[in-house]
């Protein structure tokens, strides 16, 4: 009799749990290409659920990228939910026992993601064993994120997942976040946290705007005086070990790290550690401004840049280097007698934009010689001087769609950032203005529109440092992430708001201090 009394609460518990046949909406973000959710629920046991490789997988336990991913996602599924006591055993037909992962190709486990990585996957949760199929390890990473987002913990403490079928792939191959570590130094720990949040939102590019006028925090092994003299202090630098840590951490999450070393403008910090690199100014109206952009005349400029880019190509494994090329103040070039004489000799008359193109072309040739591709800001676009294959990033500007049309008409690939400058402060439901951007809304042929390879959300550092980077970036960057991943017709604002609220709380549970979208609350243990 006593045994019956003890068993009765668990019988009631099980009956109540199984009566709730459909879990709340999981808040999938970004929304996959095709989603089917069925009423049937499976339960997950902390002790018994496993993520394993399928028998047909070309990739196995030796793949560190996936082994690390399995460990992380078990933590997200179980450790980020409240530990409530539940039934020790489930009926086998109601329990999801394992997720079997199968990968078609086995070449990526020792490599880095690139601009042509396949991130497609299919996910089936149809019985006691779920399956995740992908062509590459990068697709598995995206599928694991989706799988984790399907998990729900009910009010009884039961961890459940709906019977599901999902097929997914990104709309654009380049989905990036730009961080600025020159205006304010960002601790390495915070950069790693940003990479975690990027993975939660299926971003795949960290655009590291690492140096600028204000400081040179990159510690070069070839030219150590650049950071010794140009950094804010010797403690505000990124050592080779720091950079390696960021790149490796990103690789494990399927994220590329593209460094930006912007010249010929934005280079005041360079001049502190590389004498003769900047242009002396001869402007009596601006006596306090002694140096301007890079001096494009002396041969020493190009020897230095060639050696520096050679180092960068070995430190950063990505196929691309961002060369900048934007916002050049021309007055120092205009007032410098040596530059004026050089322009006359080169037949450039007084065309300062042509001089900029001359300099940029020299750098593009260097990058080509070290077998890398180049990205430049739209200010550097010159259809007659850019190397074929150069990618043009459109920064902050009015009527950016006109530039999309012009650049793609010339046959160059485009990354769009203009509508997604997240460091700008506003109030209210401003996330909708980022969500309603359509990257292909410009006049051009289908062939031109294929040249828009994606976009980036930019968080510039004039008023952003380690104290406010994360809450200013998330969940606004999430909005950009869905726009770049999901299909064009995923545009319903109310549906997006409902899902984003859930996803924001999910990020908070995972340790990302994402700002609220509106009034309300997050239960840190249970979904809203």
């Amino acid at each position: 009799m006593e045994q019956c009394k003890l068993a009765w609460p668990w019988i009631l518990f099980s009956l109540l749990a199984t009566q709730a046949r459909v879990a709340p909406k999981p808040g999938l973000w970004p929304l996959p290409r095709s989603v089917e959710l069925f009423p049937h629920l499976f339960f997950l046991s902390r002790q018994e659920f496993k993520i394993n490789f399928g028998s047909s997988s070309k990739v196995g336990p030796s793949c560190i990228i996936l082994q690390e991913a399995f460990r992380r996602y078990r933590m997200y599924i179980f450790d980020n939910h409240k530990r409530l006591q539940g039934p020790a055993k489930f009926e086998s037909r109601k329990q999801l026992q394992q997720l079997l992962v199968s990968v078609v190709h086995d070449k990526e486990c020792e490599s880095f993601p690139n601009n042509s990585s396949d991130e497609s996957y299919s996910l089936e949760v149809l019985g006691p064993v779920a399956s995740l199929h992908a062509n590459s390890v990068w697709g598995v990473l995206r599928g694991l994120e989706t799988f984790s987002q399907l998990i729900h913990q009910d009010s009884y403490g039961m961890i459940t997942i709906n019977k599901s079928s999902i097929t997914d792939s990104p709309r654009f191959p380049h989905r990036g976040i730009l961080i600025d570590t020159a205006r304010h130094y960002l601790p390495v720990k915070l950069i790693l946290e940003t990479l975690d949040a990027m993975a939660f939102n299926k971003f795949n590019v960290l655009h590291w705007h690492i140096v600028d006028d204000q400081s040179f925090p990159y510690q070069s092994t070839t030219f150590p005086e650049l950071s010794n003299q140009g950094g804010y202090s010797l403690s505000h630098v990124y050592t080779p070990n720091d950079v390696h840590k960021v790149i490796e951490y990103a690789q494990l999450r399927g994220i590329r790290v593209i460094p930006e070393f912007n010249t010929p403008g934005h280079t005041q910090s360079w001049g502190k550690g590389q004498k003769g690199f900047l242009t002396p100014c001869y402007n009596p109206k601006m006596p306090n401004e002694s140096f301007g952009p890079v001096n494009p005349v002396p041969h020493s400029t190009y020897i230095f840049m060639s050696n520096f880019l050679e180092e960068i190509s070995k430190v950063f494994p990505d196929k691309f280097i961002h060369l900048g090329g934007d916002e050049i103040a021309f007055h120092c070039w205009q007032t410098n007698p040596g530059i004026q004489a050089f322009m006359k000799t080169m037949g450039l008359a007084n065309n300062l934009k042509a001089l900029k193109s001359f300099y940029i072309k020299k750098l593009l040739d260097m990058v080509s010689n070290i077998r890398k591709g180049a990205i430049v800001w739209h200010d550097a676009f010159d259809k007659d001087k850019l190397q074929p294959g150069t990618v043009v990033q459109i920064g902050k500007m009015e009527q950016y769609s006109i530039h999309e049309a012009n650049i793609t008409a010339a046959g160059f690939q485009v990354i769009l950032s203009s509508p997604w400058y997240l460091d700008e402060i506003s109030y209210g439901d401003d996330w909708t203005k980022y969500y309603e951007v359509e990257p292909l809304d410009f006049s051009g042929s289908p062939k031109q529109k294929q040249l828009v390879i994606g976009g980036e959300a930019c968080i510039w550092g004039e008023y952003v440092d380690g104290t406010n980077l994360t809450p200013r970036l998330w969940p606004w960057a999430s909005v950009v992430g869905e726009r770049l991943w999901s299909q064009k017709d995923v545009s319903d604002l109310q549906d997006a708001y409902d899902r984003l609220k859930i996803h924001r709380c999910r990020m908070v549970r995972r340790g990302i201090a994402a700002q609220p979208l509106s009034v309300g609350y997050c239960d840190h243990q249970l979904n809203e």
Side-chain angles (χ1 to χ4, degrees):
M1 186 67 176
E2 185 65 27
Q3 287 181 339
C4 290
K5 287 182 180 179
L6 290 172
W8 170 245
W10 290 119
I11 296 171
L12 176 62
F13 181 95
S14 182
L15 286 172
L16 289 172
T18 54
Q19 283 175 1
R21 301 304 296 171
V22 183
K25 289 183 179 180
L28 296 178
W29 195 279
L31 192 67
R33 181 181 291 266
S34 172
V35 181
E36 287 185 278
L37 296 180
F38 303 96
H40 187 83
L41 284 180
F42 296 102
F43 304 100
L44 283 75
S45 164
R46 297 176 190 274
Q47 293 75 30
E48 297 180 24
F49 176 76
K50 307 293 181 185
I51 304 177
N52 292 316
F53 290 97
S55 59
S56 64
S57 179
K58 296 291 182 66
V59 173
S62 63
C63 182
I64 300 301
I65 292 174
L66 291 189
Q67 288 288 20
E68 277 295 299
F70 294 175
R71 179 195 61 79
R72 288 197 310 276
Y73 279 97
R74 272 196 61 87
M75 179 184 69
Y76 298 147
I77 291 169
F78 293 112
D79 293 353
N80 288 141
H81 290 95
K82 189 174 182 180
R83 289 183 176 272
L84 298 177
Q85 182 65 41
K89 293 289 184 181
F90 305 107
E91 295 180 33
S92 60
R93 64 186 178 87
K94 295 176 182 177
Q95 183 177 353
L96 185 64
Q97 299 164 357
Q98 60 179 327
L99 172 65
L100 291 181
V101 174
S102 298
V103 188
V104 173
H105 302 298
D106 61 354
K107 297 179 180 179
E108 293 92 348
C109 272
E110 303 300 325
S111 66
F112 291 86
N114 58 58
N115 57 322
S116 59
S117 293
D118 187 342
E119 298 174 282
S120 63
Y121 67 91
S122 63
L123 176 63
E124 303 282 348
V125 185
L126 302 179
V129 176
S131 61
L132 172 58
H133 293 274
N135 290 324
S136 74
V137 296
W138 318 120
V140 172
L141 296 180
R142 307 304 172 230
L144 285 171
E145 176 58 35
T146 299
F147 179 80
S148 73
Q149 292 184 9
L150 290 168
I151 302 297
H152 169 71
Q153 185 174 27
D154 64 24
S155 57
Y156 305 104
M158 306 281 282
I159 295 177
T160 66
I161 187 170
N162 276 91
K163 181 178 179 181
S164 321
S165 179
I166 293 175
T167 303
D168 200 11
S169 60
R171 184 183 179 197
F172 293 101
H174 186 112
R175 306 176 308 281
I177 299 289
L178 179 150
I179 60 170
D180 174 2
T181 57
R183 277 57 179 254
H184 283 97
Y185 176 85
L186 298 176
V188 172
K189 181 180 180 181
L190 188 59
I191 297 175
L192 303 184
E193 179 184 291
T194 300
L195 289 166
D196 279 329
M198 289 173 63
F200 301 155
N201 292 273
K202 297 189 172 76
F203 283 98
N204 65 352
V205 176
L206 178 71
H207 176 168
W208 193 351
H209 186 88
I210 195 166
V211 303
D212 211 293
D213 281 327
Q214 292 78 8
S215 74
F216 198 104
Y218 171 77
Q219 190 178 77
S220 168
T221 56
T222 310
F223 303 99
E225 288 306 300
L226 288 171
S227 60
N228 288 346
Q229 302 298 324
Y232 282 132
S233 76
L234 295 180
S235 63
H236 291 87
V237 298
Y238 300 105
T239 66
N241 185 58
D242 291 334
V243 173
H244 176 74
K245 183 184 294 184
V246 170
I247 293 170
E248 183 179 56
Y249 200 87
Q251 178 195 22
L252 292 173
R253 287 149 184 79
I255 297 172
R256 302 160 58 197
V257 179
I258 298 179
E260 181 184 350
F261 290 91
N262 193 353
T263 66
H266 292 274
T267 47
Q268 291 300 301
S269 66
W270 299 59
K272 296 176 182 179
Q274 184 65 22
K275 303 307 178 186
F277 186 57
L278 301 184
T279 304
C281 297
Y282 292 80
N283 188 350
K285 295 181 180 180
M286 304 181 73
N288 295 326
E289 190 168 16
S290 56
F291 292 98
V294 171
N295 190 338
V297 174
H299 187 55
S300 60
T301 291
Y302 301 104
I303 294 175
F304 164 72
M305 285 303 300
S306 179
N307 291 332
F308 183 74
L309 290 171
E310 177 75 28
E311 175 188 325
I312 295 306
S313 72
K314 294 175 181 177
V315 171
F316 292 89
D318 198 79
K319 293 181 178 180
F320 283 84
I321 299 173
H322 203 303
L323 298 175
D326 68 324
E327 298 178 337
I328 302 168
F330 285 131
H331 59 267
C332 280
W333 281 359
Q334 198 166 23
T335 61
N336 184 290
I339 286 184
Q340 290 301 306
F342 176 77
M343 292 176 68
K344 186 175 181 179
T345 301
M346 299 299 295
L348 300 178
N350 196 33
N351 189 341
L352 296 170
K353 289 185 178 181
L355 180 60
K356 177 183 71 174
S357 294
F358 170 86
Y359 171 84
I360 294 292
K361 186 178 186 305
K362 288 274 193 179
L363 264 59
L364 290 172
D365 289 340
M366 294 176 196
V367 170
S368 178
N369 289 337
I370 56 178
R371 300 181 182 278
K372 293 279 189 175
I375 305 173
V376 297
W377 290 106
H378 68 267
D379 303 43
F381 172 66
D382 184 333
K383 66 179 181 181
D384 298 321
K385 295 288 172 45
L386 291 187
Q387 289 261 13
T390 303
V391 179
V392 181
Q393 184 167 0
I394 301 178
K396 190 65 176 178
M397 63 185 313
E398 299 293 333
Q399 298 181 322
Y400 56 84
S401 61
I402 295 175
H403 288 261
E404 284 185 286
N406 292 338
I407 296 167
T408 56
F412 292 94
Q413 291 183 327
V414 163
I415 297 167
L416 182 64
S417 289
S418 187
W420 294 316
Y421 274 44
L422 303 185
D423 50 290
E424 297 180 348
I425 300 174
S426 57
Y427 186 80
D429 293 336
D430 59 335
W431 67 273
T432 59
K433 70 180 181 183
Y434 303 128
Y435 193 76
E436 292 181 309
V437 171
E438 170 44 53
L440 302 186
D441 188 14
F442 65 92
S443 298
S445 66
K447 184 177 180 181
Q448 281 179 253
K449 295 189 177 186
Q450 289 178 357
L451 292 173
V452 178
I453 61 173
E456 290 181 1
C458 301
I459 186 84
W460 296 101
E462 286 87 350
Y463 303 99
V464 176
D465 67 3
T467 67
N468 64 349
L469 172 74
T470 299
R472 190 168 292 187
L473 188 55
W474 308 103
W476 318 128
S478 303
V479 173
V480 183
E482 176 152 293
R483 184 50 54 233
L484 295 172
W485 178 281
S486 302
Q487 295 303 293
K488 180 179 180 179
D489 60 1
V490 178
S491 57
D492 186 291
L493 289 177
Q494 185 59 54
D495 176 68
Y497 177 71
D498 293 340
R499 288 184 292 108
L500 188 55
K501 278 201 308 180
I502 296 171
H503 183 58
R504 178 254 168 179
C505 290
R506 180 187 299 123
M507 287 195 288
V508 170
R509 284 200 308 275
R510 293 181 182 183
I512 306 301
Q515 283 194 41
L517 288 165
S518 186
V519 296
Y521 73 99
C522 279
D523 184 322
H524 287 247
Q525 306 299 339
L526 305 178
N527 282 325
E528 286 189 327

